[in-house]
Amino acid sequence: MTVLGLGPMGRALAGAFLDAGLRVTVWNRTPGRDAELIARGAVSAPSPEEAVAASGLTVLCVVNYDAGDAIVRREAVTAALKGRTLANLTADTPGRARDAAAWAAEHGIGYLDGAIMTPTTTIGTPAAVFLHSGPEELYQEHQAVLAALGGSHTHLGADIGRAASYDLALLDIFWTAMAGYAHALAMARAEGVTARELAPFAQGIAAILPPIFEESAREVDEGTYSGEGNPITSAASSMAHIVHASEEHGIDASVMRAAEGLARRAIGLGHGGDGFLRITELLSPR
Ligand code: NDP
């Protein structure tokens, strides 16, 4: 099998394939990143077309689809991929995944799209999480090799954009939470509270979220947002305290202001008794 792209993630993927005893051919735009992999038994191809020609399955993992296209849409590489399968584990948007699938179909290339949801250190271990989308039969054909990457592999269906859709939704949770955490740390610091002191309590707050995801799923899908126990009016009031205290310290509160603004709009529309997730309907009306 072939791995194109040897950034931290590409190297981790190639390493896991080697550990599983597979014959692995690698290529990267900048030479020299494959030294450790070669020492472990990988074959270094002099060009991406030669790398692709060495295997039935090529895994592509670079920074984004522009970078991926710069490699696989070169005429010689596209020609070498014909009749073979490309599994693209590069992160980007669902639209780019659909565009890549259309290009692949036009050139007789089997195409699977995927997303890696865990850091490089998890690859090859039970903690890795992979999401895949694309034709069921093609996925079945390569499932055993992909399983060498360890962890859990979920095929989300034939819609090629689905893995990227999940990826973006999940990263949305992650990065907005991280932005909130960074803001919380700045506010805590302004009040003389260190990150070390806050950490155990921060973990407690984060632990509240998983049951909320589980318990709210049905309400969100049905469009009912019971605010029993915590109406959006109460949430908006607590957000206002955060904005106020933050700005008193001269700390940019724009992330919290955006959330409070959405809550106030929902209240203005008469949904003050509903729960905070009512704002989902403002963001994405049915
Ligand atoms: P990067 O996202 O920094 O990607 C580096 C790779 O992209 C290198 O192989 C680099 O080649 C290549 N590249 C960049 N620009 C170009 C270009 N114009 N043409 C050809 N190749 C190019 O590092 P990662 O390896 O960590 O990430 C790869 C993918 O994996 C990304 O989509 C990322 O979102 C995803 N991912 C990464 C995780 C992580 O923990 N690292 C976790 C989950 C997903 P060169 O060496 O020549 O610069």
Side-chain angles (χ1 to χ4, degrees), residues 262-281:
L262 288 164
R264 299 264 176 228
R265 264 173 64 200
I267 294 165
L269 289 167
H271 303 297
D274 286 358
F276 178 72
L277 286 178
R278 161 60 67 179
I279 72 165
T280 311
E281 297 297 322

Side-chain angles (χ1 to χ4, degrees), residues 4-13 27-31 33 60-71 74 88-92 115-121 123 129 167 171:
L4 297 179
L6 299 175
M9 186 51 90
R11 289 200 298 273
L13 300 174
W27 178 86
N28 188 62
R29 177 185 62 169
T30 305
R33 303 245 149 95
L60 174 64
C61 189
V62 288
V63 62
N64 55 33
Y65 276 48
D66 281 343
D69 287 353
I71 300 169
R74 274 196 244 163
N88 195 351
L89 296 182
T90 302
D92 214 308
I116 307 167
M117 302 316 309
T118 49
T120 54
T121 46
I123 307 303
V129 176
D167 185 33
L171 289 175

Side-chain angles (χ1 to χ4, degrees), residues 130 133 245:
F130 295 89
S133 46

Side-chain angles (χ1 to χ4, degrees), residues 85-258:
T85 299
L86 179 64
N88 195 351
L89 296 182
T90 302
D92 214 308
T93 63
R96 291 302 293 262
R98 292 187 182 110
D99 175 66
W103 161 83
E106 217 174 280
H107 292 90
I109 300 164
Y111 187 77
L112 292 168
D113 207 88
I116 307 167
M117 302 316 309
T118 49
T120 54
T121 46
T122 65
I123 307 303
T125 79
V129 176
F130 295 89
L131 304 176
H132 302 278
S133 46
E136 174 77 39
E137 271 181 30
L138 196 63
Y139 177 71
Q140 294 301 339
E141 192 184 324
H142 298 287
Q143 190 184 20
V145 173
L146 293 169
L149 296 172
S152 75
H153 292 258
T154 308
H155 183 243
L156 297 168
D159 172 5
I160 200 78
R162 220 159 154 81
S165 306
Y166 275 59
D167 185 33
L168 291 191
L170 296 170
L171 289 175
D172 192 352
I173 300 171
F174 182 75
W175 286 117
T176 48
M178 288 297 279
Y181 185 46
H183 182 262
L185 290 173
M187 244 189 20
R189 180 186 290 171
E191 290 289 345
V193 179
T194 65
R196 178 71 268 142
E197 289 170 315
L198 195 66
F201 299 94
Q203 288 183 41
I205 279 287
I208 293 175
L209 290 174
I212 290 180
F213 298 154
E214 195 52 45
E215 286 155 19
S216 63
R218 193 175 51 84
E219 280 194 355
V220 174
D221 287 340
E222 288 174 357
T224 56
Y225 297 91
S226 144
E228 215 185 300
N230 194 5
I232 200 164
T233 42
S234 169
S237 164
S238 121
M239 290 174 182
H241 298 151
I242 297 167
V243 170
H244 186 70
S246 167
E247 291 179 349
E248 264 184 359
H249 284 297
I251 295 167
D252 183 336
S254 50
V255 171
M256 184 51 72
R257 268 195 178 281

Side-chain angles (χ1 to χ4, degrees), residues 1-4 22-27 42-59 76-77 79-85:
M1 67 134 341
T2 290
V3 177
L4 297 179
L22 294 162
R23 182 189 151 82
V24 182
T25 301
V26 295
W27 178 86
V43 176
S44 178
S47 68
E49 54 271 30
E50 285 163 272
V52 160
S55 314
L57 173 66
T58 290
V59 168
V77 184
L81 277 167
K82 192 173 172 156
R84 296 185 155 87
T85 299

